[in-house]
Amino acid sequence: MFDIQKETLEWGGRTLTIETGKVARQADGSVMVTYGETTVLATVVSEKEPKPGFDFFPLTVNYQEKAFAAGKIPGGFFKREGRPSELEVLTSRLIDRPIRPLFAEGYKNDTQVIITTLAHDLETQPDIVAMIGASAALTLSGVPFMGPIGGARVGYIDGEYVLNPTLDQMEDTALDLVVAGTGDAVLMVESEAKELSEEVMLGAVMFGHKGFQPVIDAIIRLAEKAAKEPRPHTVPDTAELYGKVKDIVAADLKAAYAIPAKAERRAAIDAVKAKVVEALVTTDGEAGPTKQDIGGLFKKAEADIVRNQILDDKTRIDGRDLVTVRPIEAEVGILPRAHGSALFTRGETQALVVATLGTGDDEQFVDLLEGTIKQQFMLHYNFPPYSVGETGRMGSPGRREIGHGKLAWRAVHPMMPAHHDFPYTVRVVSEITESNGSSSMATVCGSSLALMDAGVPLSAPVAGIAMGLIKEGDRFAVLSDILGDEDHLGDMDFKVAGSANGVTSLQMDIKIDGITEEIMQVALGQAKDGRMHILGEMAKALTSARAELGEYAPRIEVINIPVDKIRDVIGSGGKVIREIVEKTGAKIDIQDDGTVKVASADGKAIKAALNWIKGITAEPEVGEIYEGTVVKVVDFGAFVNFFGPKDGLVHISQMTQGRPEKSSDVVKEGQKVWVKLMGFDERGKVRLSMKVVNQDTGEELKPENAA
């Protein structure tokens, strides 16, 4: 019944198996990939005919995790998986980015890649397994995919690179880098690092590229046994029509791309496009080129003119040379009641970034296959349509917003203080108010400034820069701080973020069939120079975290109480802690290890809550003097509440010098008195004395004075 084919190899200390022919046989391509004991199913389906009216390749990648993969039942009311989580969206993007450039030119058939995690061993991260599965399924499917690709994760532990570190090893690594590519070149990099040098980062990329070559070889061996016949795909000969288009638009496009301002330049380009459409698209029903045909060739003409101008003249669209960064303006504290705020403007790209400090109540719970974790640092990126002068849909964040926000998060996260040193939950929101190239890197710069403005003690300020590439044959040019058009018409989007000490994040996407180590080396060196320049411009606004938190930010004080006292502070059904919160107005968070965080914007509220908690948990010391309140008067003395909820007896003989006839002659209920803790009787009852303490001052009387 089944024609099962498989390839097995030892890779990175675990067994990798790629199998096809048993599951999902009606898909164009399907594989089961198992690495360690983590298993994914990857499938590919591509329509037989192109989608009409599309001038782009309609590829969709969907990565999904099933709770049963880790032996769990989903939370919530419906008890089933819902909309994609942030991790699933990010993994979908991670797989999409290296495979998209490898489809044949002109292929417009609707294509869907679905990868499902079926088993998770809580040791091997599924994203690399999913990427390998997608590559293998595409290679077997017969669609015009110029793969296969491989992928790997690289760690950096004790000065050594580690291929595909386990989840336990990831706790000790200074680097989390994912790299993907073909046998010859690198196509995609995504990483977070702890201020590593450019040389270490480049070494990690090349280590990963070399490390996944055995996987590519295994996919090729499997394809030789099980791949479907390649689909026929021909690219129409448009050379003659392209010549007509270029003759019409060349001079006008050169003039349009000489306009520095984005809005004016786009208006001029649109006018040129309308001119060529009017000249070449027939409207009388006769056969001829369509608007979509002309649109595709017009983009090709744009790319040809801009790219050759950069390679020949070393001059860019806005007149800059290859390494100059656009003018930068950085401001902080621009929103009066925000805990921290910054406005970062670089050319026609602008980010309004706001940092908000919260308490333990504001932590984000993230449900992963490995378990639920708490997130104390969040960074959210928003890209409203007005930022590019357009109208558009407003709603929940899309894949782009989630991806750009995570990139900025990775850049800033290594610089955040440890939670035990700065016990706040921190949320940063970046609103892109203008966009013309690398709004994610503007978010990195603005986030660093907003956090420092809020008083968050970053290890060092962080800046980011986006690099571009124009490559024709052996000629290439690396561009610093790319514009939107340069990103659109270029071959690479290479983003580098970090401090003055090293790189904290690196992201690379290649639109051609890969780049070489030489090009990456040039890009990293050029990016370092640009990053140092940007950090210098940011320093004009703020160089380090403010010494004090903002006026409206909460203050948090942390104390530790004995674990056996937690129940006393919480009280039956939470009665005690609710009373403390209601009476003082402070927020209180008690952890299982006895750590207590008390938060409020009012210092008096924090002090009152801390004193209350200390009164409940602390133990009175023999020989100490306390101020108390008489709660009950009896014939043989008075009971005094002197230490939190603790009461003690002042015997009638310990009230004054000489024995009074009645206790009520000396004290009354509700009266404030000073008492000294004399000790405990044989039954553990508290013994107090008033007569050895000056009732006016609370000072202990010397023996001769007491007599």
Side-chain angles (χ1 to χ4, degrees), residues 154-156 161 170 173-177 191-194 196 201 204:
V154 179
Y156 192 64
Y161 296 121
M170 291 302 295
T173 184
L175 172 68
D176 179 6
L177 180 141
S191 66
E192 177 183 341
K194 296 180 179 178
L196 298 179
M201 296 298 291

Side-chain angles (χ1 to χ4, degrees), residues 379-574:
L379 196 154
H380 298 145
Y381 165 102
N382 297 312
F383 192 87
Y386 66 75
S387 64
V388 288
E390 297 176 358
T391 59
R393 183 188 68 88
M394 294 289 288
S396 57
R399 290 188 172 194
R400 183 178 185 275
E401 283 83 358
I402 292 173
H404 279 32
K406 190 64 175 181
L407 172 59
W409 184 92
R410 288 193 181 102
V412 177
H413 180 242
M415 297 292 98
M416 291 292 290
H419 191 62
H420 57 77
D421 294 328
F422 190 74
Y424 291 84
T425 299
V426 182
R427 181 187 184 225
V428 175
V429 179
S430 173
E431 297 287 339
I432 302 304
T433 50
E434 294 182 37
S435 180
N436 184 13
S438 190
S439 56
S440 62
M441 294 296 96
T443 294
V444 171
C445 301
S447 297
S448 178
L449 290 168
L451 286 165
M452 293 190 296
D453 185 50
V456 179
L458 296 182
S459 301
V462 183
I465 186 170
M467 313 297 294
L469 172 71
I470 305 295
K471 185 175 185 296
E472 295 287 350
D474 294 332
R475 295 196 304 162
F476 71 89
V478 175
L479 315 179
S480 295
D481 181 26
I482 54 175
L483 299 172
D485 285 337
E486 290 169 339
D487 183 9
H488 174 65
L489 300 173
D491 299 320
M492 176 182 76
D493 185 7
F494 190 97
K495 295 170 181 173
V496 186
S499 68
N501 302 318
V503 176
T504 57
S505 183
L506 176 68
Q507 184 187 80
M508 182 176 71
D509 291 308
I510 305 299
K511 302 172 189 176
I512 51 178
D513 57 1
I515 63 169
T516 63
E517 182 177 0
E518 177 196 3
I519 293 174
M520 280 190 285
Q521 194 167 15
V522 172
L524 281 167
Q526 205 165 304
K528 182 178 181 180
D529 294 339
R531 185 173 83 246
M532 299 304 291
H533 168 74
I534 295 170
L535 284 169
E537 294 298 305
M538 291 166 56
K540 296 176 182 178
L542 202 58
T543 57
S544 61
R546 298 195 187 279
E548 297 290 334
L549 300 183
E551 178 184 355
Y552 301 102
R555 268 67 175 170
I556 297 180
E557 295 286 344
V558 181
I559 61 170
N560 288 286
I561 63 174
V563 174
D564 59 358
K565 296 289 184 181
I566 294 175
R567 181 171 23 180
D568 298 334
V569 177
I570 295 175
S572 176

Side-chain angles (χ1 to χ4, degrees), residues 8-26:
T8 301
L9 67 153
E10 289 299 313
W11 185 49
R14 278 152 284 173
T15 301
L16 176 69
T17 301
I18 310 173
E19 178 185 295
T20 188
K22 186 174 183 179
V23 179
R25 291 172 296 161
Q26 296 185 48

Side-chain angles (χ1 to χ4, degrees), residues 129-150:
V129 192
M131 185 181 293
I132 292 167
S135 171
L138 283 165
T139 304
L140 300 180
S141 68
V143 302
F145 174 69
M146 307 297 110
I149 66 162

Side-chain angles (χ1 to χ4, degrees), residues 47-257:
E47 295 291 347
K48 301 300 184 287
E49 298 295 331
K51 203 156 189 176
F54 274 59
D55 60 353
F56 63 90
F57 173 39
L59 170 67
T60 305
V61 177
N62 296 105
Y63 169 80
Q64 54 187 358
E65 294 183 338
K66 299 298 182 181
F68 61 70
K72 298 170 62 176
I73 295 175
F77 184 78
F78 294 105
K79 296 300 177 186
R80 67 178 298 165
E81 291 81 6
R83 60 182 298 173
S85 68
E86 182 176 288
L87 177 63
E88 289 170 319
V89 170
L90 293 170
T91 306
S92 298
R93 285 172 54 87
L94 199 69
I95 297 167
D96 182 299
R97 286 156 49 195
I99 65 175
R100 187 176 289 271
L102 296 183
F103 284 86
E105 180 184 355
Y107 190 68
K108 299 292 192 296
N109 300 32
D110 201 354
T111 303
Q112 186 175 38
V113 180
I114 299 177
I115 311 104
T116 307
T117 296
L118 303 177
H120 187 10
D121 60 10
L122 307 183
E123 179 179 297
T124 304
Q125 298 184 68
D127 51 0
I128 297 300
V129 192
M131 185 181 293
I132 292 167
S135 171
L138 283 165
T139 304
L140 300 180
S141 68
V143 302
F145 174 69
M146 307 297 110
I149 66 162
R153 173 171 269 103
V154 179
Y156 192 64
I157 303 174
D158 297 329
E160 298 289 336
Y161 296 121
V162 179
L163 184 67
N164 296 333
T166 64
L167 284 169
D168 288 340
Q169 288 177 308
M170 291 302 295
E171 296 179 4
D172 302 318
T173 184
L175 172 68
D176 179 6
L177 180 141
V178 174
V179 56
T182 62
D184 301 321
V186 174
L187 287 167
M188 186 277 298
V189 177
E190 184 78 49
S191 66
E192 177 183 341
K194 296 180 179 178
E195 293 185 292
L196 298 179
S197 69
E198 280 74 11
E199 291 75 20
V200 171
M201 296 298 291
L202 180 58
V205 173
M206 303 317 298
F207 175 84
H209 181 257
K210 181 180 179 182
F212 62 63
Q213 296 307 312
V215 177
I216 293 178
D217 294 339
I219 295 173
I220 292 173
R221 290 196 300 270
L222 184 65
E224 289 171 348
K225 296 183 288 185
K228 294 181 178 178
E229 287 297 318
R231 289 191 185 185
H233 172 66
T234 57
V235 180
D237 183 6
T238 58
E240 183 180 350
L241 181 59
Y242 177 63
K244 294 179 181 179
V245 170
K246 198 166 182 183
D247 287 342
I248 295 171
V249 304
D252 291 340
L253 270 183
K254 284 182 180 179
Y257 273 107

Side-chain angles (χ1 to χ4, degrees), residues 643-672:
F643 194 90
K646 291 181 172 57
D647 295 345
L649 173 67
V650 180
H651 192 267
I652 190 170
S653 64
Q654 292 294 321
M655 286 184 168
T656 61
Q657 304 304 323
R659 185 182 181 112
E661 291 186 12
K662 294 190 296 184
S663 302
S664 57
D665 292 340
V666 182
V667 295
K668 302 214 171 9
E669 288 186 12
Q671 181 179 336
K672 297 286 186 182

